[in-house]
C-alpha cells in the first residue's frame, strides 16, 4: 500500500531556505552551521572518548532513521518497516526523519540545551513537539530511531546515566571501575606506570590566567570505556598489542632513548609543528571534520544515503577503535613522556622547548620540562587519537574506494592557544592530500605535542587500521539488509 507523502514543513522565516527535496540535512545544515557547537560547550575538545561516544549514538540514530526509506537497508538499533518507494523519490522524508532523530539524541545527551534544538527545528519549519513514535511518518520514524539509539547506549557500559556502581545516580560518564593510579602527582614510585599530571587551575575554560597557588590533578578519563559495548566485536582483549617495551624502566637504554626522542622533537618545534599539534589535539577539528572533508572531496558521487552511511561507518570505526585502545591503556597503564623525562634526567639540563614565548632552551632543568601541550587524561599506550584516526581513515578508504582526502585547514597568524598572538608568525596552511598523509601527520603531532613517544604512535597507526575494515563490513551488511543478527 502506498501513502501520500507528508505535507511540506511550515514556511521558515524570511531569508532562510533549505531544500528538503534535494538538500542534505548534514552537509547543508548541521555541518555548515558547525555540527558540534552544542557539544563543544559541554565537552572539552580534548575529551576524545566522550566526543566519539556521543557521535556514535548520533550517527546510529541517523542511519536507522534513513533505513526505512532505503531499498535494502535495515537499522542497527531500530528495525522499522520499510516505507513505500514513492516516499524516497526525493530527500524530503529522509531529511525530516534524520533531523528528528538528531533532535531526540541531542535532547537526551544535552537536556540543558533543548531550547537550541527547538529553535533549530522551528526555523526549519518543523514542529519540535511532533514526537509521536509513528512508524508511518518521517517525524515518527526519526523519533523511533532516536529513542532506539539512546536506549541501546543508555546501559552500554559508558555510564551515560551515571547509575552504574552506585545506589543513587551520580554524574554522567563517571568512573565506576575504581581505577587508581600507581603513582601520585607528587611522586613517581613506578617509572613504568602512568603518573597523573598536576596543572594550574584556570577559572575560565579556554583562557585566562591560572588561579595562583591552585592546581588540578588529572584523572583517567572514562576508564570504563574499555567495558563499553562495541559494534563489531565482543571482547577488546582479542586484539593483541605488544607491550610498550620502550617504556619498561628495567631496560634503561630503551627508556632513555624514548625520552630523548621526545626531547629532540621538542627542541626542533616549528610553527607548523605547533599548529598541527593543536589541530590534532582538537577532536572537533581533526576527527569530526576529516570524514566530512573527504565526503566533500567526493561529493559529486555521494547522495544523502551515502553521506549518512559513510559518516556512520566512520563513527563505528572510531568508537570500536577507542574501546580497544582503552582496554590496552588500562592493561599497560604506561608512563607519559613528562614523567619519563623528569625521572631520567632529574635536575640535569636538557635542550628542549622552554615554554610559551621562550623557544628552544639549552639549559632547561629536566624537572621543569613540559610538552607543548598538556598530556592527555589517560595512560600513554596506545595513543587514542592516532588509533581512532587510523581507524576512520581506513573506514573512509574502504567506503570511498581511494585514499583521497584533499583537505586544507588554515591556522591564522597568532591564533595558537599555547602561544597566543605570536604563533604562528604567519598563516599556516595544513594540507592533507590523502588519508595516508593525514594519519602520518597525526602520529607526528602527538610527539611534537610532547604527549606520546614515537614508538607508541607508530604502533597505534597499525593497531587502529583494523577497526576501519571491521566498521566498513559491519555497516555494509546493514546497508545490504544482511546483518549478523
Amino acid at each position: 500500500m502506498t501513502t501520500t507523502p507528508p505535507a511540506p514543513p511550515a514556511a521558515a522565516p524570511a531569508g532562510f531556505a533549505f531544500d528538503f527535496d534535494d538538500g542534505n540535512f548534514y552537509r547543508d545544515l548541521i555541518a555548515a552551521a558547525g555540527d558540534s557547537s552544542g557539544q563543544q560547550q559541554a565537552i572539552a575538545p580534548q575529551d576524545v572518548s566522550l566526543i566519539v561516544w556521543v557521535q556514535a549514538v548520533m550517527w546510529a540514530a541517523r542511519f536507522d532513521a534513513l533505513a526505512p526509506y532505503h531499498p535494502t537497508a535495515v537499522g542497527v538499533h531500530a528495525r522499522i518497516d520499510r516505507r513505500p518507494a514513492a516516499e524516497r523519490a526525493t530527500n524530503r522524508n529522509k531529511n525530516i526523519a534524520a533531523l528528528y532523530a538528531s533532535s531526540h539524541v541531542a535532547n537526551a545527551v544535552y537536556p540543558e540545551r533543548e531550547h537550541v534544538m527547538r529553535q533549530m527545528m522551528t526555523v526549519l519549519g518543523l514542529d519540535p513537539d511532533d514526537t509521536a513514535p509513528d512508524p508511518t511518518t518521517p517525524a515518527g520514524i526519526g523519533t523511533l530511531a532516536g529513542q532506539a539509539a539512546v536506549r541501546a547506549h543508555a546501559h552500554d557500559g559508558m555510564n551515560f546515566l551515571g547509575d552504574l556502581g552506585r545506589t543513587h545516580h551520580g554524574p554522567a560518564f563517571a568512573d565506576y571501575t575504581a581505577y587508581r593510579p600507581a603513582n601520585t602527582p607528587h611522586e613517581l614510585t613506578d617509572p613504568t606506570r602512568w603518573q597523573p599530571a598536576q596543572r594550574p587551575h584556570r577559572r575560565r575554560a579556554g583562557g585566562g590566567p591560572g588561579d595562583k597557588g591552585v592546581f588540578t590533578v588529572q584523572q583517567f578519563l572514562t576508564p570504563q570505556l574499555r567495558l563499553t559495548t562495541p559494534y563489531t566485536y565482543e571482547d577488546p582483549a582479542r586484539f593483541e598489542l605488544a607491550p610498550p617495551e620502550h617504556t619498561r624502566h628495567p631496560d634503561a637504554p630503551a627508556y632513555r632513548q624514548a625520552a630523548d626522542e621526545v626531547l629532540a622533537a621538542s627542541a626542533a618545534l616549528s610553527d607548523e609543528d605547533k599548529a598541527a599539534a593543536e589541530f590534532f589535539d582538537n577532536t572537533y577539528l581533526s576527527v569530526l571534520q576529516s570524514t566530512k572533508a573527504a565526503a566533500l572531496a567526493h561529493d559529486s558521487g555521494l547522495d544523502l544515503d551515502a553521506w549518512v552511511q559513510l559518516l556512520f561507518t566512520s563513527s563505528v570505526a572510531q568508537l570500536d577503535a577507542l574501546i580497544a585502545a582503552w582496554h590496552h591503556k588500562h592493561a599497560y597503564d604506561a608512563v607519559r613522556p613528562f614523567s619519563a623525562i623528569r625521572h631520567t634526567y632529574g635536575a640535569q639540563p636538557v635542550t628542549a622547548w622552554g615554554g610559551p614565548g621562550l623557544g628552544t632552551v639549552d639549559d632547561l632543568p629536566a624537572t621543569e620540562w613540559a610538552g607543548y601541550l598538556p598530556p592527555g587524561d589517560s595512560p600513554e599506550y596506545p595513543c587514542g587519537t592516532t588509533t581512532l584516526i587510523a581507524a576512520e581513515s581506513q573506514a573512509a578508504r574502504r567506503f570511498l574506494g581511494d585514499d583521497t582526502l584533499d583537505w586544507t585547514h588554515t591556522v591564522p597568524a597568532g591564533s595558537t592557544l599555547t602561544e597566543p598572538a605570536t604563533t604562528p608568525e604567519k598563516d599556516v596552511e595544513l594540507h592533507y592530500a590523502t588519508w595516508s598523509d593525514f594519519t602520518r601527520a597525526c602520529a607526528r603531532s602527538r610527539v611534537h605535542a610532547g604527549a606520546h613517544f614515537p614508538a607508541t604512535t607508530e604502533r597505534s597507526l597499525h593497531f587502529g587500521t583494523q577497526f576501519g575494515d571491521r566498521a566498513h563490513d559491519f555497516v555494509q551488511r546493514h546497508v545490504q539488509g544482511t546483518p549478523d543478527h
Side-chain angles (χ1 to χ4, degrees), residues 237-261:
R238 64 178 288 189
F239 303 103
E240 295 182 358
L241 183 64
E245 63 277 349
H246 51 288
T247 55
R248 282 183 171 177
H249 189 255
D251 183 8
Y255 193 93
R256 181 181 292 266
Q257 179 182 343
D260 287 346
E261 288 172 341

CSV table of all heavy atoms in Angstrom, one decimal, residues 237-261:
chain,number,residue,atom,x,y,z
A,237,ALA,N,39.9,-7.6,24.3
A,237,ALA,CA,41.1,-8.3,24.5
A,237,ALA,C,41.6,-9.2,23.4
A,237,ALA,O,42.8,-9.6,23.3
A,237,ALA,CB,41.0,-9.2,25.8
A,238,ARG,N,40.7,-9.5,22.4
A,238,ARG,CA,41.1,-10.3,21.3
A,238,ARG,C,42.0,-9.6,20.4
A,238,ARG,O,42.7,-10.2,19.6
A,238,ARG,CB,39.8,-10.7,20.5
A,238,ARG,CG,39.1,-9.5,19.8
A,238,ARG,CD,37.9,-9.9,19.0
A,238,ARG,NE,38.3,-10.6,17.8
A,238,ARG,CZ,37.5,-10.9,16.8
A,238,ARG,NH1,36.2,-10.6,16.9
A,238,ARG,NH2,37.9,-11.5,15.7
A,239,PHE,N,42.1,-8.3,20.5
A,239,PHE,CA,43.0,-7.5,19.6
A,239,PHE,C,44.4,-7.3,20.3
A,239,PHE,O,44.5,-6.4,21.2
A,239,PHE,CB,42.4,-6.2,19.2
A,239,PHE,CG,41.1,-6.4,18.5
A,239,PHE,CD1,39.9,-6.1,19.2
A,239,PHE,CD2,41.0,-6.8,17.2
A,239,PHE,CE1,38.6,-6.3,18.6
A,239,PHE,CE2,39.7,-7.0,16.6
A,239,PHE,CZ,38.6,-6.7,17.3
A,240,GLU,N,45.3,-8.1,19.9
A,240,GLU,CA,46.6,-8.0,20.7
A,240,GLU,C,47.4,-6.8,20.3
A,240,GLU,O,47.4,-6.3,19.2
A,240,GLU,CB,47.4,-9.3,20.3
A,240,GLU,CG,46.8,-10.6,20.8
A,240,GLU,CD,47.6,-11.8,20.5
A,240,GLU,OE1,48.7,-11.6,19.9
A,240,GLU,OE2,47.2,-12.9,20.9
A,241,LEU,N,48.1,-6.3,21.3
A,241,LEU,CA,49.0,-5.1,21.1
A,241,LEU,C,50.2,-5.4,22.0
A,241,LEU,O,50.1,-5.6,23.2
A,241,LEU,CB,48.3,-3.9,21.5
A,241,LEU,CG,49.1,-2.6,21.4
A,241,LEU,CD1,49.4,-2.3,19.9
A,241,LEU,CD2,48.4,-1.4,22.0
A,242,ALA,N,51.4,-5.5,21.4
A,242,ALA,CA,52.6,-5.9,22.1
A,242,ALA,C,52.9,-4.9,23.2
A,242,ALA,O,52.5,-3.7,23.1
A,242,ALA,CB,53.8,-5.9,21.1
A,243,PRO,N,53.5,-5.3,24.3
A,243,PRO,CA,53.8,-4.4,25.4
A,243,PRO,C,54.7,-3.2,25.0
A,243,PRO,O,55.5,-3.4,24.1
A,243,PRO,CB,54.5,-5.3,26.4
A,243,PRO,CG,54.1,-6.7,26.1
A,243,PRO,CD,53.9,-6.7,24.6
A,244,PRO,N,54.6,-2.1,25.7
A,244,PRO,CA,55.4,-1.0,25.3
A,244,PRO,C,56.8,-1.1,26.0
A,244,PRO,O,57.1,-0.4,27.0
A,244,PRO,CB,54.6,0.2,26.0
A,244,PRO,CG,53.9,-0.4,27.1
A,244,PRO,CD,53.6,-1.8,26.7
A,245,GLU,N,57.6,-1.9,25.3
A,245,GLU,CA,59.0,-2.2,25.9
A,245,GLU,C,59.8,-0.9,25.9
A,245,GLU,O,60.8,-0.9,26.7
A,245,GLU,CB,59.7,-3.3,25.2
A,245,GLU,CG,60.0,-3.0,23.7
A,245,GLU,CD,58.8,-3.3,22.8
A,245,GLU,OE1,57.8,-3.9,23.2
A,245,GLU,OE2,58.9,-2.8,21.6
A,246,HIS,N,59.4,0.1,25.1
A,246,HIS,CA,60.2,1.3,25.1
A,246,HIS,C,60.1,2.1,26.4
A,246,HIS,O,60.8,3.1,26.6
A,246,HIS,CB,59.9,2.2,23.9
A,246,HIS,CG,58.4,2.4,23.7
A,246,HIS,ND1,57.6,1.4,23.3
A,246,HIS,CD2,57.7,3.5,23.9
A,246,HIS,CE1,56.3,1.9,23.2
A,246,HIS,NE2,56.4,3.2,23.6
A,247,THR,N,59.1,1.8,27.2
A,247,THR,CA,58.9,2.5,28.5
A,247,THR,C,59.0,1.5,29.7
A,247,THR,O,58.5,1.8,30.8
A,247,THR,CB,57.6,3.2,28.6
A,247,THR,OG1,56.5,2.3,28.3
A,247,THR,CG2,57.6,4.4,27.5
A,248,ARG,N,59.6,0.4,29.4
A,248,ARG,CA,59.9,-0.5,30.6
A,248,ARG,C,61.2,-0.1,31.2
A,248,ARG,O,62.3,-0.2,30.6
A,248,ARG,CB,60.0,-2.0,30.1
A,248,ARG,CG,58.7,-2.7,29.8
A,248,ARG,CD,58.9,-4.1,29.4
A,248,ARG,NE,57.7,-4.8,29.3
A,248,ARG,CZ,57.6,-6.1,28.9
A,248,ARG,NH1,58.7,-6.7,28.6
A,248,ARG,NH2,56.4,-6.7,28.9
A,249,HIS,N,61.1,0.4,32.4
A,249,HIS,CA,62.2,1.0,33.1
A,249,HIS,C,63.4,0.1,33.3
A,249,HIS,O,64.6,0.5,33.2
A,249,HIS,CB,61.9,1.7,34.4
A,249,HIS,CG,63.0,2.5,35.0
A,249,HIS,ND1,63.7,2.1,36.0
A,249,HIS,CD2,63.5,3.7,34.6
A,249,HIS,CE1,64.6,3.0,36.3
A,249,HIS,NE2,64.5,4.0,35.5
A,250,PRO,N,63.2,-1.2,33.5
A,250,PRO,CA,64.4,-2.1,33.7
A,250,PRO,C,65.3,-2.1,32.5
A,250,PRO,O,66.5,-2.3,32.6
A,250,PRO,CB,63.8,-3.5,33.9
A,250,PRO,CG,62.4,-3.2,34.6
A,250,PRO,CD,62.0,-1.9,33.9
A,251,ASP,N,64.7,-1.8,31.3
A,251,ASP,CA,65.5,-1.7,30.1
A,251,ASP,C,65.9,-0.2,29.9
A,251,ASP,O,65.4,0.5,29.1
A,251,ASP,CB,64.7,-2.2,28.9
A,251,ASP,CG,65.6,-2.1,27.6
A,251,ASP,OD1,66.8,-1.9,27.7
A,251,ASP,OD2,65.0,-2.4,26.5
A,252,ALA,N,66.9,0.2,30.7
A,252,ALA,CA,67.3,1.6,30.8
A,252,ALA,C,67.6,2.3,29.5
A,252,ALA,O,67.2,3.4,29.2
A,252,ALA,CB,68.4,1.8,31.8
A,253,PRO,N,68.4,1.6,28.6
A,253,PRO,CA,68.7,2.3,27.3
A,253,PRO,C,67.5,2.6,26.5
A,253,PRO,O,67.4,3.7,25.9
A,253,PRO,CB,69.6,1.2,26.6
A,253,PRO,CG,70.2,0.5,27.7
A,253,PRO,CD,69.2,0.4,28.8
A,254,ALA,N,66.5,1.7,26.4
A,254,ALA,CA,65.3,1.9,25.6
A,254,ALA,C,64.5,3.0,26.2
A,254,ALA,O,63.9,3.9,25.5
A,254,ALA,CB,64.5,0.7,25.5
A,255,TYR,N,64.4,3.0,27.5
A,255,TYR,CA,63.7,4.1,28.3
A,255,TYR,C,64.3,5.4,28.0
A,255,TYR,O,63.6,6.4,27.7
A,255,TYR,CB,63.7,3.7,29.8
A,255,TYR,CG,62.7,4.5,30.6
A,255,TYR,CD1,61.5,3.9,30.9
A,255,TYR,CD2,63.1,5.7,31.2
A,255,TYR,CE1,60.6,4.6,31.8
A,255,TYR,CE2,62.2,6.3,32.1
A,255,TYR,CZ,61.0,5.8,32.4
A,255,TYR,OH,60.1,6.4,33.2
A,256,ARG,N,65.6,5.5,28.1
A,256,ARG,CA,66.3,6.8,27.9
A,256,ARG,C,66.1,7.2,26.4
A,256,ARG,O,65.9,8.4,26.2
A,256,ARG,CB,67.7,6.7,28.3
A,256,ARG,CG,68.6,8.0,28.1
A,256,ARG,CD,70.0,7.7,28.4
A,256,ARG,NE,70.2,7.5,29.8
A,256,ARG,CZ,70.5,8.5,30.8
A,256,ARG,NH1,70.6,9.7,30.3
A,256,ARG,NH2,70.6,8.2,32.0
A,257,GLN,N,66.2,6.3,25.5
A,257,GLN,CA,66.1,6.6,24.1
A,257,GLN,C,64.7,7.2,23.8
A,257,GLN,O,64.5,8.2,23.1
A,257,GLN,CB,66.3,5.4,23.2
A,257,GLN,CG,66.1,5.7,21.7
A,257,GLN,CD,66.3,4.4,20.9
A,257,GLN,OE1,66.9,3.5,21.3
A,257,GLN,NE2,65.9,4.5,19.6
A,258,ALA,N,63.7,6.6,24.4
A,258,ALA,CA,62.3,7.1,24.2
A,258,ALA,C,62.2,8.5,24.7
A,258,ALA,O,61.6,9.4,24.1
A,258,ALA,CB,61.3,6.2,24.9
A,259,ALA,N,62.8,8.8,25.9
A,259,ALA,CA,62.7,10.1,26.4
A,259,ALA,C,63.5,11.1,25.5
A,259,ALA,O,63.0,12.2,25.3
A,259,ALA,CB,63.3,10.1,27.8
A,260,ASP,N,64.7,10.7,25.0
A,260,ASP,CA,65.5,11.5,24.2
A,260,ASP,C,64.8,11.9,22.9
A,260,ASP,O,64.9,13.0,22.3
A,260,ASP,CB,66.8,10.8,23.9
A,260,ASP,CG,67.7,10.8,25.1
A,260,ASP,OD1,67.5,11.6,26.0
A,260,ASP,OD2,68.7,10.1,25.1
A,261,GLU,N,64.0,10.9,22.3
A,261,GLU,CA,63.3,11.2,21.1
A,261,GLU,C,62.3,12.3,21.3
A,261,GLU,O,62.1,13.1,20.4
A,261,GLU,CB,62.7,9.9,20.6
A,261,GLU,CG,63.6,8.9,20.0
A,261,GLU,CD,63.0,7.5,19.7
A,261,GLU,OE1,61.9,7.3,20.2
A,261,GLU,OE2,63.6,6.8,19.0
